[in-house]
Amino acid sequence: MDKTQSVVIVGAGVFGLSTALHLAEDGFSSITVMDRSMPPVPDGSSNDISRVIRFDYGDPVYAKMGRDAYELWNTSPDYADSFHRTPCVWTAQQSGPASLVSAGGSDFIRKTKKILTDMGCEWHPLDSVAAMKARFPTVSGTPIGAGFEGFYNDAAGWADAGLAITGLRDRCIRAGVSFVTGRHGHVTSLEKGSDGRVTAVRTIDGGRITADQFILATGAWTASLVPSWNTMVATAQIVGFVRLTPEEVQRLKDLPIIFNLSTGFFSFPPHEQTGYLKVACHSFGYTLSSSDISSPPSEAISQRANFIPEEGRQRLLAGLGEILPELVSRGFEKTCLCWYNETPTGDFIFDRHPAHQNVFVATGGTGQ
């Protein structure tokens, strides 16, 4: 590909920014990133106080990709301020009422342990709740209960996502990447020629920006811009933040990342800078559809709304009660919906769009 061609990247999340930086470092001379906000974008799924960094996957391809990424997070000075190494615990319920048990949890644990072993990576068994609490005494509750199974991996951690995106943005700027934001950068549609090639992006203020190549790193908003033929669906996942005292932040600083694969609930260690304990739940999620297109709200926002459905709040409280029951009565200082772009197989989509040959699609995070 001719490196003098102009490239427009729509979406200033981790996919868009990392692509922009790679292209700039590879010698491309005209790269423009467009979004409704300067990154970190307030409602982008890349932006928050924490994201899990791990290579525990039930698929060998993702496990190897994750291990490579983990090594970069763990060793590169570019991520030193935003990465925190922390054990990651995986739990599931082997037995119990069918409505409470996800067979996928046990299957994930079995596959992942085998893949880690085949890769020569260390993992540690947890055969009971007692074993988990002995290893991680900051867990005051009784996760899972009857039928508990699990393991943990010390080679894991979490990233301060907003801080990491800020650093990635600044690296892009130093590399010569241009940014168009606000109404001038809020892309609403693609202008197409008779041959199907995209000639320009149209913005909410009536503007038009041309390029030779277009990359859509638009996450959950992708299906609103190009035909997706049911290959993706935007789902809103629930997140809650508990306000801790400075003393509680210190007392809980050794809390691991904990996943309950039977319910989808997961939790992070405290975030010292904000004083929050963050919990979340990955499930089927909530959808918002218009004209058969699944997409989040498209208006520009300054921050995520402090809202989740009440049944979602109850699910978060139930999960919190298994880990730290003493915090349940305190509730959440704030909650929000985090928009994922789910694909039928749970895989990323990295490919040229078949109907628009100068459009490359990079999406499908699917909670990976």
Side-chain angles (χ1 to χ4, degrees):
M1 181 174 164
D2 182 357
K3 294 182 180 180
T4 65
Q5 286 191 324
S6 55
V7 180
V8 161
I9 300 173
V10 184
V14 66
F15 283 9
L17 293 179
S18 59
T19 301
L21 181 62
H22 176 78
L23 291 176
E25 292 179 339
D26 195 39
F28 283 79
S29 58
S30 177
I31 305 164
T32 301
V33 174
M34 303 180 66
D35 210 310
R36 297 168 299 162
S37 303
M38 196 67 179
V41 179
D43 58 345
S45 62
S46 302
N47 180 32
D48 201 352
I49 61 173
S50 52
R51 286 290 182 272
V52 179
I53 307 297
R54 44 93 179 192
F55 53 90
D56 304 323
Y57 285 95
D59 180 295
V61 174
Y62 286 106
K64 292 172 183 175
M65 288 173 59
R67 182 176 59 180
D68 291 344
Y70 168 77
E71 291 300 330
L72 284 173
W73 282 104
N74 197 38
T75 61
S76 173
D78 292 322
Y79 311 122
D81 292 337
S82 54
F83 178 68
H84 305 265
R85 183 167 175 173
T86 305
C88 188
V89 177
W90 300 89
T91 67
Q93 186 177 2
Q94 292 176 310
S95 60
S99 61
L100 300 179
V101 178
S102 169
S106 293
D107 189 49
F108 177 91
I109 287 176
R110 175 181 55 81
K111 289 180 178 178
T112 302
K113 290 192 296 188
K114 181 180 185 305
I115 288 168
L116 292 176
T117 299
D118 292 344
M119 290 169 56
C121 299
E122 188 176 25
W123 57 270
H124 306 275
L126 293 171
D127 299 326
S128 65
V129 175
M132 176 181 172
K133 296 181 70 171
R135 172 61 181 84
F136 302 105
T138 48
V139 177
S140 58
T142 307
I144 301 294
F148 176 97
E149 66 173 320
F151 76 96
Y152 71 93
N153 190 345
D154 283 322
W158 60 275
D160 185 318
L163 185 61
I165 289 294
T166 299
L168 183 55
R169 175 203 66 197
D170 292 346
R171 291 172 66 193
C172 286
I173 292 172
R174 289 194 296 270
V177 174
S178 300
F179 286 83
V180 180
T181 59
R183 294 178 61 80
H184 300 309
H186 184 168
V187 174
T188 56
S189 63
L190 307 180
E191 180 183 289
K192 310 174 192 70
S194 58
D195 60 354
R197 293 178 65 84
V198 170
T199 55
V201 292
R202 295 278 187 177
T203 59
I204 198 169
D205 64 349
R208 176 179 180 272
I209 294 182
T210 62
D212 298 307
Q213 301 289 333
F214 297 86
I215 298 173
L216 301 185
T218 37
W221 288 264
T222 307
S224 66
L225 292 176
V226 289
S228 60
W229 304 293
N230 295 320
T231 59
M232 59 189 79
V233 60
T235 65
Q237 306 293 338
I238 51 176
V239 184
F241 301 84
V242 181
R243 169 65 65 190
L244 300 179
T245 66
E247 293 75 21
E248 288 170 332
V249 169
Q250 289 304 307
R251 177 171 62 84
L252 299 174
K253 64 182 177 61
D254 294 326
L255 192 73
I257 300 162
I258 304 174
F259 282 86
N260 180 338
L261 295 168
S262 294
T263 64
F265 176 85
F266 60 101
S267 59
F268 290 83
H271 186 265
E272 186 174 359
Q273 286 70 30
T274 61
Y276 280 131
L277 178 82
K278 175 184 163 183
V279 301
C281 192
H282 181 61
S283 63
F284 290 114
Y286 305 92
T287 61
L288 179 65
S289 298
S290 175
S291 301
D292 298 322
I293 295 174
S294 173
S295 178
S298 61
E299 64 272 11
I301 62 170
S302 60
Q303 61 182 352
R304 289 188 176 105
N306 184 8
F307 166 80
I308 59 173
E310 180 57 29
E311 67 90 19
R313 181 185 298 273
Q314 294 304 317
R315 278 192 287 145
L316 290 181
L317 289 173
L320 181 63
E322 288 193 350
I323 304 299
L324 298 166
E326 67 272 19
L327 297 179
V328 171
S329 61
R330 187 175 309 177
F332 303 110
E333 182 172 291
K334 65 175 184 176
T335 56
C336 68
L337 295 171
C338 180
W339 286 93
Y340 290 6
N341 198 20
E342 309 275 4
T343 59
T345 62
D347 292 308
F348 296 124
I349 299 174
F350 295 143
D351 203 355
R352 289 198 176 274
H353 195 284
H356 313 296
Q357 284 304 300
N358 65 331
V359 173
F360 191 91
V361 177
T363 188
T366 313
Q368 297 280 15

